[in-house]
């Protein structure tokens, strides 16, 4: 009988299916149902730095005295934090799987204090999302990478629970960044976060939102970089995110070097009931291939010859497109 347990960010999960941070995970009731449906872990809906900042600015505009504005901003922040801490505490009460808190931030501000409160509330780990486009005309090369490291280092100074870094896919060299994240205490990385998808309505001549949900083709980028990075930086756990829609996708991610997958869009589209078929397929595939444990095939197809990866990629490109006319 195959054993689906896996280790991710130092946590033992009963299986590699993690529910990604989203509206799916914003109440204890929803989280309980996801746990009962078979999820291995849950990442709570993120608390967004921009959300607090925007609401605080609106409150400041509504008062005449700076002191009053400062008081309202502090009160708003504390209210948001208190709500989030309750979500952690109540979810832990009704779920028998790891509960991972999530902060979505872009600056190295006062998140360290918030991280301590998250740990006290009982979160099993903390996932940090640093998602931002770099568009400054006078951008200092390397500063975006350093922002990741600074935020991680300052948070690690405050808490003992594992810290997971969820990365955007706009990084020039994920290998170099992950090497530094590992050196500064990150327990895992998730590849990749998904940017807002813009679109244009040519009839109304206005900007609109593009596809909200991911599609299966997005998995390829995660497979590429997990396959490359896991062969070099092996002191950290990996999870694939974006494009994990089918049971086969779970197997692909693990073969590339992931310990787990984060799923979101497929739950929205198919319901939490898709978790069981994913796990059943994984178990049957392992039995068919003679694997008793996930560790036996994790990373089996990662990039062993890292020095030849560019040649390999270019060769495969030529082979594929050379036959297309």
């Amino acid at each position: 009988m195959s054993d689906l347990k896996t280790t991710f960010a130092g946590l033992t999960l009963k299986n590699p299916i993690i529910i990604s941070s989203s509206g799916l995970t914003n109440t204890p009731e929803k989280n309980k149902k996801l746990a009962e449906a078979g999820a291995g872990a849950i990442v709570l809906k993120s608390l967004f730095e921009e959300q607090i900042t925007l609401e605080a600015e609106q409150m400041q505009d509504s008062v005449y005295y700076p002191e009053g504005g400062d008081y309202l901003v502090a009160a708003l922040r504390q209210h948001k934090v208190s709500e989030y801490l309750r979500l952690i505490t109540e979810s832990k009460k009704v779920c028998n799987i790891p509960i991972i808190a999530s902060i979505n931030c872009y600056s190295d501000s006062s998140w360290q204090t918030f991280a301590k409160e998250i740990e006290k509330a009982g979160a099993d780990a903390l996932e940090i999302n640093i998602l931002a486009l770099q568009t400054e005309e006078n951008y200092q090369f390397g500063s975006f990478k350093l922002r990741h490291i600074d935020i991680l280092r300052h948070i690690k100074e405050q808490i003992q629970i594992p810290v997971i870094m969820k990365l955007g896919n706009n990084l020039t060299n994920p290998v170099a960044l992950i090497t530094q994240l590992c050196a500064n205490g990150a327990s895992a990385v998730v590849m990749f976060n998904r940017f807002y998808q813009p679109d244009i309505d040519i009839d109304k001549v206005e900007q609109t939102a593009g596809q909200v949900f991911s599609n299966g083709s997005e998995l390829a980028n995660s497979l590429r970089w997990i396959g490359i990075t896991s062969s070099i930086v092996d002191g950290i756990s990996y999870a694939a995110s974006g494009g994990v829609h089918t049971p086969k996708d779970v197997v692909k991610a693990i073969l590339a070097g992931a310990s787990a997958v984060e799923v979101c869009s497929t739950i929205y589209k198919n319901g939490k009931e898709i978790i069981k078929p994913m796990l059943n397929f994984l178990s049957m595939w392992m039995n068919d291939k003679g694997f008793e444990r996930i560790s036996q095939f994790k990373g089996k197809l990662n990039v062993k010859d890292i020095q030849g990866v560019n040649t390999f990629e270019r060769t495969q490109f030529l082979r594929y497109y050379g036959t297309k006319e």
Side-chain angles (χ1 to χ4, degrees), residues 285-312:
W285 181 87
M286 289 173 63
N287 289 334
D288 182 59
K289 301 299 180 182
F291 297 121
E292 297 179 355
R293 297 177 301 280
I294 283 178
S295 59
Q296 292 176 314
F297 67 96
K298 184 179 73 174
K300 188 176 179 63
L301 297 182
N302 68 4
V303 181
K304 301 297 189 295
D305 179 17
I306 194 63
Q307 298 302 319
V309 66
N310 287 327
T311 301
F312 173 80

Side-chain angles (χ1 to χ4, degrees), residues 304-323:
K304 301 297 189 295
D305 179 17
I306 194 63
Q307 298 302 319
V309 66
N310 287 327
T311 301
F312 173 80
E313 288 282 330
R314 289 171 60 84
T315 301
Q316 295 306 311
F317 180 88
L318 289 170
R319 284 179 181 172
Y320 182 79
Y321 284 102
T323 62

Side-chain angles (χ1 to χ4, degrees), residues 3-191:
D3 183 356
L4 302 186
K5 287 198 295 291
T6 187
T7 301
F8 175 71
L11 304 173
T12 299
L13 312 186
K14 65 180 182 180
N15 66 64
I17 307 295
I18 300 174
I19 309 301
S20 183
S21 172
S22 65
L24 294 167
T25 62
N26 64 358
T27 70
E29 294 75 23
K30 291 179 182 178
N31 295 331
K32 179 182 179 182
K33 291 178 180 179
L34 288 167
E36 291 172 345
I42 291 171
V43 183
L44 300 179
K45 181 174 174 59
S46 292
L47 184 61
F48 282 78
E49 180 177 358
E50 297 95 324
Q51 178 185 359
I52 293 178
T53 302
L54 179 61
E55 292 186 29
E57 289 175 351
Q58 292 172 342
M59 292 176 73
Q60 282 181 313
D61 291 341
S62 67
V63 298
Y64 294 100
Y65 301 103
E67 296 82 0
D70 292 342
Y71 174 79
L72 289 173
V73 170
L76 171 65
R77 184 178 182 85
Q78 188 55 50
H79 174 68
K80 293 290 185 182
V81 169
S82 297
E83 280 187 337
Y84 199 76
L85 297 178
R86 280 196 296 273
L87 175 60
I88 296 170
T89 302
E90 296 303 314
S91 295
K92 285 290 295 180
K93 288 179 181 177
V94 296
C95 298
N96 60 352
I97 57 176
I99 296 295
I100 302 169
S102 175
I103 299 174
N104 199 307
C105 56
Y106 61 91
S107 66
D108 187 12
S109 56
S110 56
W111 291 110
Q112 302 96 293
T113 302
F114 184 31
K116 290 181 75 170
E117 295 183 74
I118 282 176
E119 184 174 50
K120 290 179 182 177
D124 295 288
L126 173 60
E127 182 178 273
I128 306 294
N129 300 264
I130 307 172
L131 188 65
L133 292 173
Q134 302 309 299
T135 58
E136 300 91 341
E137 184 178 2
N138 298 315
Y139 172 75
Q140 296 296 311
F141 293 105
S143 61
F144 187 47
K145 182 180 79 171
L146 289 175
R147 189 187 308 171
H148 287 72
I149 298 167
D150 287 342
I151 291 175
L152 168 64
R153 188 174 66 250
H154 293 153
I155 287 178
K156 282 295 295 180
E157 289 172 355
Q158 302 296 324
I159 62 176
Q160 299 298 315
I161 59 175
V163 177
I164 302 160
M165 303 296 288
K166 191 166 188 178
L167 307 179
N169 61 7
N170 59 329
L171 299 167
T172 304
N173 186 348
V175 179
L177 175 57
I178 292 171
T179 299
Q180 291 301 312
L181 293 176
C182 181
N184 282 276
S187 296
V189 292
V190 182
M191 305 169 79

